Amino acid sequence: MGILVKHRVSALPEKAFHRLDYQVMALAFDLYNSIGNLWDENDYKAKLLERCLASGLHALPEVQVKVEFKDFCKPYFIDLLIEGAVYELKTVEGITSPNESQTLNYLFLTNTQHGKIINFRPDSLERRFVSTSLTLDQRQSFFLKTDDWIEAQPANLHLPDLLAELLNEWGAYLNIQLYKEAVLFFMEHPSEDANTRFCATSPDTLLHFTGLSRKKASYEKNLQKYLNASEFEQIDWINFDQNEIELSSLRKKLFCH
């Protein structure tokens, strides 16, 4: 149970990672200069893998990581694991924050600290380091705030306990979508509900997940407006702010004019 990596991974110290990356990037630049920037992502993965192996580097493609808890299981696949370092390959217009978040998520899942994104599509090979100093032990230190949580609905009765169990098992800082999918799984909701902004957990209650570290008060005001104009009576709001997870409930406010 927990986080299961198909292949053993040992975290590389920073200096060792940079020595490795110097080799990997030399191969990536050579590949880019040889075949150009018009191939598909899978082609670059296969060709860079070939060059890494030919150079004597230990490299594995599509390394599976399973995140499990009881009957819930979600698989992830790392593009290339080279000497224990995470490499994500892209063919996009430019590297984005979601690309960085994805790679950081893989570092957390493998309990490693250093990775890199290589983007083969632009006119010049684009690359970006992604790193963290957090360990699994540190990620398992979290704060669950429930001061404004209203356990008024049977659907939300055990949510604080469930979240605490998930965080104890996996740690904080992971992709919010993972926690959302797990919560809805145990609430016996269809998997497609995890892709909706608001999920109805009862005829009069919505469940909402966010990952805000700033402007939470402003967001709450807009949540309240949304609720007041909707047919629902309550929004259960779960916000992930690094290792601080806050559960709060908003009730409809009716105003007389």
Side-chain angles (χ1 to χ4, degrees):
M1 289 297 179
I3 299 171
L4 307 174
V5 185
K6 187 174 181 180
H7 299 276
R8 184 176 178 179
V9 180
S10 297
L12 287 176
E14 186 174 1
K15 288 184 178 179
F17 171 76
H18 285 296
R19 287 195 297 268
L20 167 69
D21 187 60
Y22 183 82
Q23 295 177 268
V24 174
M25 289 310 302
L27 297 172
F29 274 111
D30 184 65
L31 174 61
Y32 182 82
N33 291 332
S34 298
I35 68 173
N37 67 348
L38 299 180
W39 295 73
D40 292 332
E41 185 176 301
N42 286 334
D43 296 312
Y44 289 110
K45 290 179 192 177
K47 293 178 184 298
L48 185 57
L49 174 65
E50 288 177 5
R51 293 181 180 227
C52 286
L53 294 174
S55 298
L57 295 174
H58 184 257
L60 297 165
E62 295 296 318
V63 174
Q64 185 183 74
V65 181
K66 286 184 180 180
V67 184
E68 298 181 343
F69 181 75
K70 297 180 180 178
D71 294 332
F72 175 82
C73 179
K74 181 176 178 64
Y76 291 94
F77 295 90
I78 298 169
D79 285 347
L80 288 174
L81 198 63
I82 305 173
E83 299 287 337
V86 171
Y87 279 84
E88 282 295 297
L89 275 54
K90 302 296 179 187
T91 51
V92 292
E93 184 176 337
I95 295 172
T96 62
S97 293
N99 299 148
E100 291 185 39
S101 297
Q102 176 194 38
T103 307
L104 187 60
N105 195 54
Y106 291 162
L107 296 184
F108 292 146
L109 292 174
T110 54
N111 201 24
T112 56
Q113 281 73 51
H114 307 289
K116 198 164 195 181
I117 306 169
I118 307 175
N119 183 18
F120 286 88
R121 183 66 76 229
D123 290 335
S124 297
L125 187 68
E126 185 183 18
R127 63 274 191 200
R128 189 170 299 176
F129 286 112
V130 180
S131 62
T132 179
S133 61
L134 291 171
T135 65
L136 177 58
D137 287 343
Q138 291 171 319
R139 292 194 304 100
Q140 287 175 322
S141 176
F142 61 89
F143 303 94
L144 202 62
K145 298 176 63 176
T146 58
D147 295 347
D148 297 317
W149 184 253
I150 302 173
E151 293 185 339
Q153 305 295 333
N156 79 1
L157 195 58
H158 302 294
L159 267 179
D161 292 337
L162 173 58
L163 271 175
E165 289 184 276
L166 294 174
L167 291 161
N168 276 316
E169 188 79 11
W170 302 338
Y173 295 89
L174 295 176
N175 189 294
I176 295 168
Q177 187 70 11
L178 171 64
Y179 303 110
K180 183 178 181 181
E181 289 181 18
V183 165
L184 292 176
F185 173 86
F186 288 109
M187 294 178 77
E188 299 183 346
H189 279 260
S191 58
E192 55 267 24
D193 283 0
N195 297 318
T196 61
R197 179 176 296 179
F198 296 95
C199 179
T201 56
S202 76
D204 60 1
T205 305
L206 293 171
L207 182 61
H208 185 54
F209 289 74
T210 54
L212 303 174
S213 57
R214 299 186 306 111
K215 299 183 178 180
K216 285 184 276 189
S218 173
Y219 194 88
E220 182 175 347
K221 288 180 182 179
N222 281 290
L223 266 185
Q224 187 68 59
K225 291 177 182 178
Y226 182 93
L227 177 60
N228 293 343
S230 76
E231 61 187 26
F232 293 89
E233 297 295 325
Q234 179 170 317
I235 292 179
D236 292 328
W237 177 25
I238 303 176
N239 184 66
F240 292 80
D241 181 3
Q242 297 185 11
N243 68 334
E244 184 177 284
I245 297 87
E246 184 172 6
L247 293 81
S248 54
S249 299
L250 283 68
R251 296 288 293 173
K252 176 170 283 187
K253 296 179 182 178
L254 299 178
F255 301 96
C256 296
H257 297 280

